[in-house]
Amino acid sequence: MLYRKIPKNGDELSILGFGCMRLPVRADGSIDEERATKQVRDAIDHGVNYVDTAWPYHMGQSEPFVGRALANGYREKVNLATKLPSWLIEKREDMDTFLNAQLERLRTDHIDYYLIHALVGDLWDAVEKLGVADFLDKARADGRIRNAGFSFHGAGDDFNRIVDAYDWDFCQIQYNFLDEKNQAGTAGLEYAASKGLGIIIMEPLRGGNLTKTVPSVVREIWDEALVKRTPAEWALRWIWNHPEVTVVLSGMNDETHIQENLSVADQAYPNSLTEAELQLVKKVESTYRELMKVSCTGCRYCMPCSSGVNIPLCFEEYNNLYLVDNPEEEKFMYAARLGGAVALGESEFASMCVQCGQCVEKCPQHIDIPAVLESVVAELEGPDFEQRVAMARQMFKQT
């Protein structure tokens, strides 16, 4: 495992962090604690020393799980990160209430890296007015938190002013080879680094969209490389190639993926990709931009939908329609997965959307979700849709 320093405090953090937003789950949607605990502890045993969670992850169950997973001496081996749910703050006292509850949920007396969660410009203005600077100062002074930071999901214009608004130790931004000009982007990465902030990266694989379904045209480009790497390794190596980056968070929930990520993190030095390799990544990026229809990362902040639409899955299938080589098969998979056939559950189709707009306010990617859902309906439901649903349910023996 390679390590990089936080400039302001000298902490040496593993370049690979364990993100606890997408833990393995059971059929009922609850965290598979036995499997997830083993995954977290194995990663720590192999050098990971940064574990990230948040108040809302897994419907509020991620923090309590992490507290249990870090028992038996594992808490002392890691830098623990969690986040203040800024959108729930109505008064200054709420900040202490949430932090104290998080300390209890996480079974610890301090948070090593504490973030103000999911900031955009207006939300920052609101918590700043309520006294978040005073809260952070006092929480650092009394030892409940060691380092103060923020995670960012807003427009680039707001990023620099938030960086400048407080004496932050670090920040967390979405960054991958498709997001150089999205949200904080490369300009934000470089600005934060110039101010001495440690930089934590989220969504390095865009919610798995860069690895789960790799179109043949993209595979052909990767195959041009002299050094052969998997799509996940290319994406991670591209981020770690930036010396400004401190930690890359991976929402690891599969043992094979964890092993691969750990292996890559043993050798991903900054500035280690050749110019030819960087141009290859640029070629892949351009190809993806031509193929993908929606920039959803699967973060699930839009969920649950009051009408029962599984928004992230609808968008995943919509992108897959343009990424796979067999669109008819993908239309069938949409009918099966959203029709409840695969999981033997209720239907979650895009056509169930009532255009209430509540999801739009929650989306960190600022996607016009109702409008895109209309496109999903037009392209994935359409003629013969009911027949595909019936076939899927029959295949998976759902009555």
Side-chain angles (χ1 to χ4, degrees):
M1 177 63 63
L2 300 179
Y3 298 85
R4 298 186 187 182
K5 286 186 178 182
I6 292 285
K8 289 190 176 183
N9 63 22
D11 282 356
E12 291 195 349
L13 304 184
S14 55
I15 64 171
L16 177 65
F18 202 110
C20 296
M21 186 172 79
R22 298 184 177 99
L23 298 166
V25 296
R26 301 185 182 93
D28 63 0
S30 64
I31 298 170
D32 185 339
E33 291 220 8
E34 182 178 358
R35 183 181 177 196
T37 298
K38 188 176 188 304
Q39 289 178 349
V40 170
R41 291 181 178 180
D42 282 352
I44 295 170
D45 290 340
H46 285 86
V48 170
N49 71 359
Y50 191 93
V51 176
D52 171 270
T53 183
W55 180 271
Y57 291 175
H58 281 278
M59 303 298 290
Q61 293 307 303
S62 179
E63 285 180 334
F65 159 76
V66 170
R68 293 187 290 271
L70 295 183
N72 301 321
Y74 280 89
R75 171 67 183 94
E76 291 72 29
K77 298 179 181 181
V78 300
N79 293 278
L80 179 58
T82 194
K83 310 172 186 74
L84 179 75
S86 53
W87 59 94
L88 297 178
I89 301 302
E90 297 180 354
K91 54 186 182 300
R92 165 66 177 81
E93 293 79 9
D94 292 342
M95 302 176 194
D96 289 296
T97 299
F98 276 108
L99 173 55
N100 292 336
Q102 290 172 298
L103 291 170
E104 184 174 348
R105 282 154 59 117
L106 288 159
R107 302 184 179 190
T108 187
D109 62 358
H110 71 281
I111 308 298
D112 300 288
Y113 286 81
Y114 195 68
L115 302 95
I116 310 303
H117 197 179
L119 289 185
V120 297
D122 292 346
L123 191 51
W124 166 250
D125 294 338
V127 294
E128 184 179 37
K129 188 177 295 184
L130 290 173
V132 72
D134 175 70
F135 161 69
L136 292 171
D137 288 343
K138 290 181 177 176
R140 285 202 283 194
D142 64 28
R144 286 178 295 164
I145 68 173
R146 288 184 52 237
N147 301 283
F150 67 94
S151 66
F152 184 76
H153 284 294
D157 291 345
D158 287 321
F159 182 74
N160 289 10
R161 72 181 183 90
I162 295 175
V163 168
D164 294 336
Y166 183 74
D167 184 21
W168 306 104
D169 299 294
F170 71 112
C171 65
Q172 183 170 309
I173 63 172
Q174 176 173 315
Y175 196 60
N176 52 69
F177 64 72
L178 286 182
D179 284 324
E180 285 201 86
K181 295 182 180 180
N182 185 34
Q183 298 188 23
T186 301
L189 174 81
E190 294 174 349
Y191 187 76
S194 75
K195 298 294 183 176
L197 274 64
I199 300 172
I200 314 299
I201 301 300
M202 56 184 163
E203 302 294 359
L205 307 180
R206 268 219 173 183
N209 286 324
L210 300 179
T211 57
K212 281 188 289 191
T213 304
V214 181
S216 57
V217 64
V218 172
R219 289 196 301 269
E220 290 170 2
I221 298 172
W222 289 137
D223 287 344
E224 295 174 14
L226 295 177
V227 178
K228 305 304 179 185
R229 300 184 174 107
T230 66
E233 181 175 356
W234 277 112
L236 293 170
R237 287 290 295 265
W238 183 88
I239 300 170
W240 279 319
N241 199 60
H242 294 74
E244 301 91 346
V245 170
T246 312
V247 175
V248 173
L249 293 174
S250 178
M252 302 177 281
N253 56 23
D254 179 274
E255 288 75 12
T256 302
H257 299 162
I258 294 170
Q259 184 56 49
E260 178 183 4
N261 291 351
L262 289 168
S263 177
V264 178
D266 283 341
Q267 53 189 308
Y269 291 92
N271 298 316
S272 59
L273 294 183
T274 68
E275 183 58 33
E277 290 173 329
L278 291 173
Q279 289 303 313
L280 192 74
V281 176
K282 181 64 69 175
K283 187 175 179 181
V284 168
E285 178 226 343
S286 298
T287 303
Y288 266 120
R289 291 199 183 283
E290 295 173 359
L291 295 173
M292 296 179 73
K293 295 297 179 180
V294 58
S295 59
C296 175
T297 66
C299 70
R300 299 187 67 83
Y301 285 5
C302 58
M303 297 293 286
C305 167
S306 59
S307 298
V309 180
N310 189 327
I311 299 168
L313 187 53
C314 285
F315 288 173
E316 178 182 328
E317 294 299 329
Y318 186 38
N319 273 332
N320 286 348
L321 181 65
Y322 290 88
L323 297 179
V324 300
D325 298 323
N326 189 338
E328 289 305 312
E329 180 179 328
E330 189 54 43
K331 289 179 181 179
F332 177 80
M333 286 307 301
Y334 171 83
R337 297 180 73 189
L338 277 300
V342 174
L344 303 181
E346 300 294 328
S347 296
E348 302 173 306
F349 296 125
S351 53
M352 295 163 58
C353 173
V354 297
Q355 303 281 313
C356 70
Q358 295 179 21
C359 52
V360 177
E361 300 174 2
K362 302 174 184 177
C363 179
Q365 310 302 322
H366 311 291
I367 299 168
D368 186 349
I369 293 174
V372 179
L373 287 174
E374 288 184 338
S375 297
V376 175
V377 173
E379 299 194 45
L380 281 167
E381 297 193 19
D384 302 323
F385 178 58
E386 291 185 5
Q387 182 179 353
R388 286 196 297 273
V389 173
M391 289 175 59
R393 287 177 173 167
Q394 183 178 7
M395 178 178 293
F396 289 94
K397 295 182 172 61
Q398 179 174 343
T399 59

